[in-house]
Amino acid sequence: MRHSNDWTAAAVRRVTALSPTVREIELEPEGGAPSWTPGSHLQVRVRLQDGRIDTRHYSLVGRPDGRGCRIAVKRTEASRGGSRFMTGLQAGDRIEVLPPNNHFELPAGAAPTLLLAGGIGITPLVGMAQVLAERGAWLRLAYAARSTAELVYADELRALLGDRLATFAGDAGQRIDLAAEIAALPADAQALVCGPLPLMQAAQAAWAAAGRAAERLRFETFGAGGALPAQAFTARLPRHGLEIQVPADRSLLEVLEANGIELLSDCRRGECGLCAIDVLAVEAGQIDHRDVFFDAQQRSAGRQLCACVSRLCGPGATVVLDSAYRPD
């Protein structure tokens, strides 16, 4: 849970190119170096191309060193502009951040652990691997990226883990065999996964197919990419007498809030489910569920969607929604 809403300034101490698309940004927040646990993230204020101020979450890399903190950001051309702002930062710039927060805690103890990373999803797993190695846990890290050049932190992790690290480069035709990875785990193993939505959903399906306990699988997604390209769509809310347009570069949750309809929300990444809203009808198009909160059966039923990430796609896409609002 969030422990503070106090924004503070942070100086950019260094920017390092880790790959053609990924920049590591070292930050020094005012008031001294923050403390955090593996899996924590920083919430950062970013300026988008249209001048709007928005927020983004970036996982902290490694463990506290008493000097500052590191995040790594992948520039994505199809993004809404946050990655463009972040990867354009230079040493000496200043940004605003909230204190570290953790929705992706590494459980205590030394249970056998499989870490699964896709692309920039490696960032929270670096610190986890360091802690688990110190605990002497049975550990395997399977790390996939689109190309060998995008396997950032692989050298650092190889030095730490040796053959307990397995890397997979898409440009070499390699991919993680999730069923095999899970089958090789001890019976009491846990898995922690971070990466794009297709990896999250595939890991959920493979874990369930193997008969593993759902509570032993934990995950965090770094983005809200879906099965279909983002497009504008229409949302109707009969209870409020509203019909609103959701642009391709804004979330349904943002547009609802801008129109005075407040939903409970926290993670804004499709993980916590607080912003789930009832779907009364899909009049045109289809729901592109971009969350990792609902299971496959719930997504297929389409009775709810996570307003922070999920969208409507297709010609004339229109959805009819019912919020929790009830008049007095």
Side-chain angles (χ1 to χ4, degrees):
M1 300 296 293
R2 183 167 300 134
H3 299 293
S4 172
N5 286 315
D6 296 328
W7 292 92
T8 187
V12 177
R13 192 166 61 192
R14 182 183 304 167
V15 178
T16 305
L18 301 182
S19 80
T21 64
V22 177
R23 300 293 180 269
E24 181 183 80
I25 302 167
E26 297 183 43
L27 297 171
E28 189 172 351
E30 285 185 355
S35 178
W36 71 86
T37 53
S40 296
H41 64 265
L42 280 184
Q43 189 170 349
V44 180
R45 277 183 171 150
V46 299
R47 183 177 296 278
L48 306 183
Q49 283 186 301
D50 61 5
R52 285 188 297 118
I53 301 298
D54 207 346
T55 62
R56 296 291 186 271
H57 301 77
Y58 297 104
S59 295
L60 289 159
V61 180
R63 304 176 69 186
D65 60 7
R67 299 192 303 273
C69 54
R70 295 184 291 163
I71 59 175
V73 181
K74 180 180 177 67
R75 176 157 178 160
T76 306
E77 296 303 325
S79 79
R80 292 182 291 153
S83 69
R84 183 177 294 109
F85 172 84
M86 293 298 295
T87 55
L89 293 173
Q90 299 179 359
D93 288 343
R94 297 175 72 81
I95 58 175
E96 289 186 291
V97 302
L98 285 178
N101 190 14
N102 201 336
H103 293 131
F104 191 40
E105 288 278 4
L106 176 67
T113 302
L114 171 65
L115 301 176
L116 290 171
I120 197 63
I122 191 63
T123 49
L125 302 187
V126 173
M128 292 187 181
Q130 292 169 338
V131 169
L132 288 165
E134 285 185 4
R135 292 178 184 173
W138 185 101
L139 172 62
R140 178 170 170 83
L141 171 53
Y143 174 20
R146 291 186 175 181
S147 68
T148 301
E150 295 296 330
L151 289 165
V152 300
Y153 300 116
D155 291 343
E156 178 179 334
L157 289 165
R158 183 76 66 189
L160 173 70
L161 301 177
D163 60 8
R164 292 179 292 176
L165 170 69
T167 57
F168 304 85
D171 61 354
Q174 301 168 341
R175 59 184 303 166
I176 300 173
D177 185 337
L178 292 171
E181 294 287 349
I182 294 169
L185 295 175
D188 60 341
Q190 63 184 355
L192 294 105
V193 192
C194 187
L197 185 62
L199 174 64
M200 302 292 98
Q201 295 180 344
Q204 283 179 297
W207 194 259
R212 299 270 177 171
E215 64 269 17
R216 303 293 286 172
L217 174 68
R218 304 199 63 194
F219 43 79
E220 181 175 65
T221 179
F222 59 78
L228 300 167
Q231 67 170 75
F233 65 94
T234 299
R236 294 201 299 110
L237 292 96
R239 190 180 299 277
H240 297 267
L242 284 177
E243 179 173 300
I244 58 178
Q245 302 301 312
V246 182
D249 63 348
R250 300 194 71 183
S251 72
L252 171 62
L253 179 59
E254 291 171 334
V255 176
L256 288 173
E257 290 174 336
N259 281 272
I261 301 173
E262 295 192 10
L263 301 181
L264 289 174
S265 66
D266 187 11
C267 74
R268 293 182 178 247
R269 293 183 293 182
E271 295 168 6
C272 70
L274 278 178
C275 68
I277 187 169
D278 290 341
V279 176
L280 299 180
V282 176
E283 295 186 339
Q286 66 185 91
I287 300 173
D288 185 13
H289 289 285
R290 299 178 170 208
D291 66 277
V292 291
F293 175 75
F294 294 123
D295 61 28
Q297 184 175 358
Q298 290 170 313
R299 287 192 286 266
S300 178
R303 294 173 182 168
Q304 288 186 305
L305 59 81
C306 286
C308 64
V309 293
S310 296
R311 310 187 63 81
L312 267 287
C313 297
T318 302
V319 64
V320 183
L321 303 170
D322 189 22
S323 74
Y325 165 82
R326 297 293 184 269
D328 295 334

